[in-house]
Amino acid sequence: MSDSRHTPRIEMLRSPLGRARGLGSAHSGAVAWWGHTLSSLALVPLTLWFVCGMTRLIGSSRHDVTDWLYRPVPLVLMLMLVLATFYHMRHGLETVVEDYVHQPIVRLGALLAIKAVTLTLGLACIVSVLRIGLL
Amino acid sequence: MSGLCRSRRALTRPECRTNHPQRPVADRVRQKEHAVRDVRDALYVARNTDGQVIRRPMSPHLQVWRWPIAMAVSICHRVTGVGLSIGTLLLTWWLIAAATSDSAFATVQWFLGSPIGLLALLGWTLSLTLHFCSGIRHLAWDAGWGYEPRAYRLTSVIVFACGIGGAALIFGIGLSVW
């Protein structure tokens, strides 16, 4: 009876160093964190403005909304809000997936889907806002 | 000791849970867990001070801890973040409809005024205020403020109070204007 039975079997022909290589810092984490922090900082006043604007627009017609967004200041602020929101959202969702999804294929699929969906929704919002504001 | 730890039920007894050489049944049960397949898994393998290859112990997960309020706020921040991400679908729909036609916009307004729409708006508002308050706390942490246990607990309470209060205020104003 030896201990070999309940010791872990390593089913890989790789040295410990080889296994650990490439799993360290990617040296780009600070940029991601900084982007997330900056976008959250930008979203503080933008969200307050957005909530005020939305409560004023409750029950109004489409004409009121387009009139409001036609003015330069709301137009620019709305564009900034959309950009910051979807940038922040992409980073946040990617962090959640990276933390909780471990199966490689599902993880890769989820990360790619997040990029695709946030980009699509963000572009749809920007095009809509520009269409109201510029036409 | 011989024969005492040979059944599956014996696994529940503490003396059988040690690395005792005579645990054939237990070993067969656990063999699957011990197989190391991917790179991430391989990093959990190490040697103990006796030189024996072991799996590194892992920290137990959420369900074993009691819920301090700081942990609740932290989890709430992530959950509301995901909730807000789902909520951007509403924003996108609303903006596209406003850019498209009167009938499309009327459809969105009808949905937002329906019970499901109001519930979605309430959830979105609550997520927004909670995430907003918790996010400001994150910014304060990034600036190096608020790490003392007392400040930590106090700001946790403030986040919940301001989040729920803010959502009630916004929704109250919204309903009274509507």
Side-chain angles (χ1 to χ4, degrees), chain A residues 18-67:
Chain A
R19 276 187 260 130
R21 258 192 189 135
L23 292 177
S25 167
H27 298 290
S28 57
V31 174
W33 172 81
W34 187 233
H36 203 65
T37 306
L38 273 192
S39 56
S40 73
L41 202 57
L43 279 169
V44 171
L46 287 172
T47 307
L48 290 174
W49 165 81
F50 177 74
V51 169
C52 291
M54 284 302 115
T55 44
R56 285 224 319 254
L57 280 174
I58 287 169
S60 53
S61 66
R62 179 181 169 229
H63 194 71
D64 299 330
V65 175
T66 48
D67 268 2

Side-chain angles (χ1 to χ4, degrees), chain B residues 25-165:
Chain B
V25 176
D27 289 342
R28 249 178 282 134
V29 171
R30 295 197 166 186
Q31 195 119 54
K32 246 188 143 67
E33 291 170 33
H34 282 168
V36 174
R37 290 196 184 79
D38 71 342
V39 174
R40 183 176 172 270
D41 224 24
L43 291 178
Y44 286 117
V45 176
R47 282 178 193 280
N48 65 8
T49 46
D50 298 333
Q52 191 194 348
V53 180
I54 50 150
R55 280 184 82 78
R56 293 181 196 277
M58 293 213 17
S59 154
H61 205 51
L62 277 182
Q63 60 270 21
V64 303
W65 309 104
R66 70 190 169 83
W67 278 66
I69 190 165
M71 179 167 128
V73 172
S74 173
I75 292 170
C76 180
H77 190 69
R78 290 212 154 176
V79 172
T80 51
V82 174
L84 283 171
S85 304
I86 298 167
T88 55
L89 287 172
L90 271 184
L91 175 72
T92 312
W93 186 22
W94 189 77
L95 282 173
I96 290 176
T100 309
S101 66
D102 285 340
S103 63
F105 193 74
T107 312
V108 182
Q109 295 293 73
W110 166 81
F111 173 76
L112 291 178
S114 71
I116 297 175
L118 282 175
L119 198 66
L121 276 181
L122 180 64
W124 194 29
T125 312
L126 191 62
S127 294
L128 187 71
T129 51
L130 282 170
H131 198 82
F132 184 88
C133 296
S134 183
I136 285 177
R137 192 167 75 136
H138 269 281
L139 287 174
W141 284 337
D142 289 342
W145 185 86
Y147 286 105
E148 305 79 23
R150 208 165 151 267
Y152 208 88
R153 280 192 293 274
L154 185 68
T155 50
S156 299
V157 177
I158 292 174
V159 163
F160 270 136
C162 289
I164 295 169

Side-chain angles (χ1 to χ4, degrees), chain A residues 59-131:
Chain A
S60 53
S61 66
R62 179 181 169 229
H63 194 71
D64 299 330
V65 175
T66 48
D67 268 2
W68 176 64
L69 269 183
Y70 191 75
R71 283 162 35 210
V73 173
L75 177 68
V76 169
L77 288 180
M78 187 57 112
L79 283 175
M80 285 170 71
L81 176 89
V82 168
L83 281 173
T85 297
F86 284 98
Y87 182 82
H88 192 77
M89 171 176 148
R90 201 199 87 190
H91 269 278
L93 287 180
E94 279 179 353
T95 308
V96 170
V97 168
E98 282 161 2
D99 281 357
Y100 304 128
V101 181
H102 299 309
Q103 216 182 324
I105 294 172
V106 183
R107 185 183 166 104
L108 181 66
L111 288 175
L112 291 179
I114 286 168
K115 286 188 216 309
V117 169
T118 48
L119 196 62
T120 310
L121 289 181
L123 272 178
C125 285
I126 288 172
V127 167
S128 303
V129 172
L130 285 180
R131 193 167 164 196

